[in-house]
Amino acid sequence: MNAVEVKKDVYWVGVKDWNLVEFHGYKTPHGSTYNSYLIMDDKITLVDGVKHYLTDEQLARIQSLVDFSKIAYIVVNHVEQDHSGSVPALMKLAPQAKIVTNAMGKRALEDHFDTTGWEYVIVKTGDSLSIGRRNLEFVTTPMLHWPDSMMTYVKEDKLLLSNDGFGQHYCTDALFVKDAKFDVVMREAQSYYANILFPYGAQAEKALNTAGDLGLDIEMIAPSHGCIWSGEKEVSAILAAYGKWASGKDEGKAVIVYDTMWGATATLADAVMSVFQDAGIPVVKYCLSNKDVSEVMVDFLDAKYICVGSPTLNNELFPRVAAFLTYMKGLQPKNKKAFAFGSYGWKPGVVNNIQAVFEALGWETVAPFEEKYTPKSDVVEKIKERVKEMIA
Ligand code: FEO
């Protein structure tokens, strides 16, 4: 794939990672892309690098448009290595280029690489940099999702180069959302938010408000992962979705997550689900033996009720449930109502470990429930009563 013009004299020079199956623990069934943009103005500006093992591809796309000696600026919106991995190679080829980043970005670059001789333009929210016919404006978005994260707005093109924000781990031939499968893009955008940005809803709301305060007129959002949002329908859809996800408002849904050894916890999970179904509450049920945690987390975004079940193995939580709880706790979902349940053979108590996670997250809970060996019909009725207590 050659460099592609996305706006007049603004080119996509990124790379596609078709074979990516996971991104630091987050399963990526559709691969990913690391997008980078070259702005051909009086001062030629590259925005963002790519992951280190695809550096040569990015370099070839840039070289098809311009000699490296002509690049004036390299904007580093974010130092995580999927976007900065190629920066050292770029700086070797274009030592005259100045790195444009914020103070945290400079520090992070110095912590990652040998930056000897690199020159910087340090920016903050509201700063503007003229590159000729265009002005770049910057919005720092600290902890969305790293301290250094920032977005670059190209005023004259009404183009927001949003880095991780509005991204999707989605590799496809289509460069624009309008040419891709819209439902798949939206689902991957939701998954990206749930698995990467979930803990930072307040920061996301603040960034959206800052964009509004600065009066950014956005016609195109070009993230550094996945497809580009162009056209009013697409841009409005992703902005509205982010507004909703960042607000933390749920849709009253229930999510049941469990694993099972000999079917006891599965029987309890079925009983839990039947209460939600009888009450007309939308419910999804995931057994961790065949669902990855990153897929489960997507449903947490709009869930009100969370029920987690585990068998007891060697006096501990079942390992897949423990792994799920560790991952989920790190993403810090807020304002949930929760219920822990499970089964044991001879020593009860592991459900308290689930309960402890709920309490650490500050969720509202009902008393945990656990049963010895196989739940009989009277036990099934008892657990149903506990769930009814939660939704009352
Ligand atoms: Fe796509 Fe935070 O890196």
Side-chain angles (χ1 to χ4, degrees):
M1 190 171 181
N2 296 324
V4 181
E5 192 173 44
V6 298
K7 282 263 185 187
K8 178 141 178 47
D9 293 333
V10 179
Y11 292 85
W12 174 87
V13 289
V15 297
K16 299 201 176 231
D17 199 349
W18 292 93
N19 297 328
L20 187 79
V21 292
E22 72 112 36
F23 188 91
H24 53 55
Y26 163 10
K27 290 279 185 291
T28 53
H30 297 110
S32 193
T33 76
Y34 315 107
N35 300 332
S36 166
Y37 302 94
L38 188 68
I39 307 172
M40 300 294 285
D41 209 314
D42 295 348
K43 297 198 168 170
I44 294 171
T45 301
L46 178 72
V47 179
D48 289 334
V50 303
K51 215 169 187 177
H52 66 96
Y53 55 72
L54 293 165
T55 295
D56 288 349
E57 270 192 50
Q58 185 196 27
L59 297 183
R61 288 197 177 100
I62 295 169
Q63 207 161 20
S64 72
L65 296 167
V66 69
D67 189 84
F68 293 103
S69 64
K70 300 281 195 311
I71 296 174
Y73 296 119
I74 297 175
V75 176
V76 176
N77 278 319
H78 175 33
V79 181
E80 192 164 9
Q81 290 184 62
D82 49 327
H83 308 295
S84 71
S86 66
V87 171
L90 284 161
M91 287 304 287
K92 275 207 172 76
L93 291 163
Q96 77 292 338
K98 289 186 178 159
I99 298 272
V100 181
T101 189
N102 56 76
M104 297 304 287
K106 177 173 184 279
R107 197 179 302 171
L109 283 168
E110 289 167 350
D111 287 342
H112 279 78
F113 307 115
D114 177 1
T115 59
T116 308
W118 294 12
E119 287 186 55
Y120 294 86
V121 176
I122 302 297
V123 296
K124 58 183 184 317
T125 292
D127 284 356
S128 179
L129 177 69
S130 170
I131 58 169
R133 299 179 302 282
R134 293 174 178 79
N135 292 285
L136 307 184
E137 296 182 358
F138 304 95
V139 182
T140 57
T141 54
M143 294 321 296
L144 196 61
H145 67 126
W146 272 26
D148 57 86
S149 297
M150 135 181 136
M151 300 185 186
T152 298
Y153 177 65
V154 189
K155 192 174 175 185
E156 291 70 16
D157 294 310
K158 301 181 180 179
L159 167 64
L160 183 66
L161 302 167
S162 58
N163 194 265
D164 278 340
F166 312 109
Q168 330 99 48
H169 282 316
Y170 184 35
C171 186
T172 164
D173 258 349
L175 198 55
F176 296 96
V177 175
K178 66 181 172 55
D179 300 323
K181 290 179 182 152
F182 187 73
D183 290 350
V184 178
V185 180
M186 283 306 291
R187 174 76 181 178
E188 286 304 324
Q190 186 172 356
S191 175
Y192 192 91
Y193 188 97
N195 284 285
I196 304 274
L197 305 178
F198 210 152
Y200 309 114
Q203 289 87 340
E205 272 197 315
K206 188 170 171 219
L208 290 169
N209 291 337
T210 303
D213 293 346
L214 293 172
L216 303 191
D217 183 6
I218 300 170
E219 204 172 80
M220 181 184 285
I221 300 176
S224 290
H225 295 293
C227 295
I228 296 170
W229 308 89
S230 63
E232 203 179 328
K233 179 187 139 206
E234 287 79 5
V235 170
S236 300
I238 191 62
L239 286 173
Y242 260 61
K244 184 178 150 218
W245 299 331
S247 75
K249 287 195 186 97
D250 66 69
E251 289 185 356
K253 189 168 100 182
V255 180
I256 302 164
V257 190
Y258 73 101
D259 213 320
T260 197
M261 285 171 65
W262 294 105
T265 310
T267 299
L268 296 175
D270 285 344
V272 171
M273 185 169 72
S274 71
V275 177
F276 290 113
Q277 287 172 325
D278 291 349
I281 294 171
V283 56
V284 289
K285 179 165 68 81
Y286 293 123
C287 180
L288 292 165
S289 65
N290 57 34
K291 275 289 175 209
D292 185 70
V293 293
S294 40
E295 208 175 330
V296 172
M297 286 314 300
V298 180
D299 282 297
F300 272 55
L301 274 185
D302 50 16
K304 178 174 184 178
Y305 304 103
I306 306 295
C307 305
V308 178
S310 178
T312 303
L313 181 66
N314 300 325
N315 293 330
E316 294 289 346
L317 286 170
F318 199 66
R320 279 192 291 261
V321 177
F324 162 75
L325 288 168
T326 299
Y327 187 80
M328 185 271 289
K329 187 181 172 199
L331 291 168
Q332 300 169 49
K334 293 182 180 59
N335 302 324
K336 307 296 183 194
K337 287 188 165 188
F339 174 48
F341 64 95
S343 55
Y344 63 95
W346 49 95
K347 188 177 174 195
V350 297
V351 286
N352 296 327
N353 299 354
I354 304 174
Q355 181 77 1
V357 172
F358 294 163
E359 287 172 3
L361 288 164
W363 294 356
E364 197 180 316
T365 61
V366 289
F369 185 100
E370 61 187 335
E371 174 58 12
K372 186 172 186 178
Y373 292 124
T374 304
K376 309 290 190 310
S377 57
D378 59 322
V379 172
V380 165
E381 290 312 310
K382 273 189 203 154
I383 193 171
K384 285 183 178 179
E385 288 307 312
R386 193 67 52 82
V387 181
K388 285 178 192 165
E389 190 188 319
M390 178 171 61
I391 64 177

